[in-house]
Amino acid sequence: MTESAPSGAIDVHTHIVPDHFPDGTGRDPRWPSVHHNDDSTAQIMIGGDVFRRLDRRSWDAESRIADMDAKGISHQVLSPMPELLSYWFDGDSALAMCETVNDFLAGLVARHPDRFSGFGMVPLQTPERAVQELATLRSKGLTGVEIGTHVMGTPLGDSSLAPFFAEAARLDMTIMVHALHPVGAERIGDIPGIDATAIFPLETAMAAVSLMTSGVLETHPNSRILLSHGGGALPAILPRLDHAYRLGMPIQKCMSVPPSELARRFFFDSIVYGEEALRYLATTVGAERMVVGTDYPFLVMEDDPVGFIQRALPEDAAGLILRQTAAPIVARP
């Protein structure tokens, strides 16, 4: 397999799962394990149940690169499957999981630097450790960090997490916000997977609003915070937030510019699944704040990211999103 990348798109939202985890004996029962099958597939087991069925694309670089070449993707940013973020573990167990996943990520990036960059993970339930681990991620050659939309109910704008955002900005590391353990699932029925389908966009919007109203974006104006899945419901509620701002409601005291203007400091990936939705996102936040995302290699992934963007948007906007806006994200530390 050649290491020279074709001239193609940069996919900023993809996931990996290591092909093994340390033994979980004596640890929290939610410690994950991988059960491999003879056909190159595997099950991720959590709490004794099958959490997700995977194939080798989740851990095997050559399989990923073959798919990338077929789909016109020059470069992928690898990040952990969100369920690995481990905020529900004690600090020591969480750190052990972070080290396992980050070392695996770093190994893939080191072996294929032209094709992969990586977003690691940190134990945000212990903010002091999370701050320290950011420097470790950089030393391992990772360019950013993936975080959930909350930390066991603590919103991202909480003051306890302010040092984390400050350090990420100081180190010039991208932060990708990914929906995790959404609230409200009990109100929409018990269809398997409906929470990820219907509530993840709301989770992302709530996390974004927390970051906006807490001052994180204004305190660190040059920070790179990427909202996954097109920012979820945030673009749709920005006119409502702007209206409250114009009326002089309390939201006006939380930010110095209208919400729709402040929201343009985020980056947004292209995983919105509909061409009209992608056009609306581009109109709302600008193509210069958008990057390619696929959710590869999971079932919900966008299977034709290049074609999807090219069909939905004018050539100049599509070109920006496919190749240019992600350049700072994949730049080596």
Side-chain angles (χ1 to χ4, degrees), residues 8-11 72-75 270 287 290-292 305-310 315-326:
I10 301 171
D11 182 358
I73 301 294
S74 292
H75 199 92
S270 62
M290 294 169 59
V291 296
V292 180
V306 175
F308 172 55
I309 292 168
Q310 290 176 333
E315 183 177 355
D316 56 345
L320 271 177
I321 297 166
L322 289 170
R323 297 178 184 87
Q324 296 184 39
T325 52

Side-chain angles (χ1 to χ4, degrees), residues 14-285:
T14 80
H15 294 298
I16 62 92
V17 178
D19 56 359
H20 69 280
F21 293 97
D23 179 58
T25 302
R27 293 190 183 274
D28 189 294
R30 292 168 290 184
W31 189 264
S33 62
V34 185
H35 289 196
H36 289 274
N37 306 315
D38 293 337
D39 59 355
S40 296
T41 63
Q43 291 84 243
I44 299 297
M45 307 296 295
I46 297 178
D49 296 322
V50 176
F51 175 76
R52 182 165 292 169
R53 301 182 189 277
L54 305 169
D55 60 53
R56 64 183 303 110
R57 295 174 299 172
S58 291
W59 58 82
D60 180 69
E62 282 67 31
S63 299
R64 297 179 80 99
I65 291 171
D67 271 0
M68 291 163 65
D69 290 347
K71 297 179 185 299
I73 301 294
S74 292
H75 199 92
Q76 282 186 348
V77 180
L78 314 176
S79 60
M81 180 179 72
E83 193 65 23
L84 299 178
L85 292 176
S86 304
Y87 301 153
W88 37 95
F89 292 160
D90 65 79
D92 290 341
S93 294
L95 184 59
M97 180 57 65
C98 289
E99 291 172 344
T100 295
V101 175
N102 293 337
D103 286 346
F104 183 82
L105 270 169
L108 290 174
V109 171
R111 290 191 295 274
H112 305 276
D114 292 336
R115 307 310 299 270
F116 300 140
S117 300
F119 292 163
M121 53 187 261
V122 296
L124 267 185
Q125 68 269 56
T126 53
E128 300 83 1
R129 283 184 170 181
V131 168
Q132 295 170 0
E133 285 302 301
L134 285 173
T136 302
L137 295 186
R138 275 184 61 93
S139 72
K140 292 180 177 181
L142 303 179
T143 62
V145 58
E146 178 186 11
I147 65 173
T149 41
H150 61 95
V151 184
M152 299 300 286
T154 298
L156 296 186
D158 190 82
S159 60
S160 65
L161 300 178
F164 164 79
F165 289 101
E167 183 68 357
R170 188 185 74 82
L171 293 174
D172 195 30
M173 300 187 75
T174 301
I175 298 171
M176 182 173 83
V177 179
H178 198 291
L180 180 70
H181 295 183
V183 296
E186 72 282 357
R187 299 180 61 186
I188 61 170
D190 57 359
I191 301 171
I194 193 66
D195 54 347
T197 303
I199 312 181
F200 271 20
L202 309 181
E203 268 290 314
T204 305
M206 288 191 289
V209 171
S210 178
L211 290 170
M212 293 166 67
T213 57
S214 65
V216 168
L217 293 180
E218 296 195 86
T219 303
H220 311 291
N222 296 319
S223 62
R224 287 191 304 276
I225 301 178
L226 167 65
L227 301 179
S228 61
H229 293 277
L234 179 65
I237 66 173
L238 284 174
R240 186 179 182 91
L241 295 174
D242 276 356
H243 186 61
Y245 184 90
R246 288 192 298 269
L247 290 175
M249 294 174 67
I251 190 174
Q252 192 180 68
K253 299 178 181 179
C254 298
M255 51 191 79
S256 64
V257 296
S260 59
E261 181 178 339
L262 187 60
R264 285 175 172 250
R265 298 188 188 179
F266 289 118
F267 284 89
F268 301 77
D269 73 24
S270 62
I271 314 176
V272 296
Y273 304 109
E275 293 177 22
E276 284 293 337
L278 192 68
R279 285 191 283 272
Y280 179 76
L281 180 62
T283 299
T284 302
V285 305

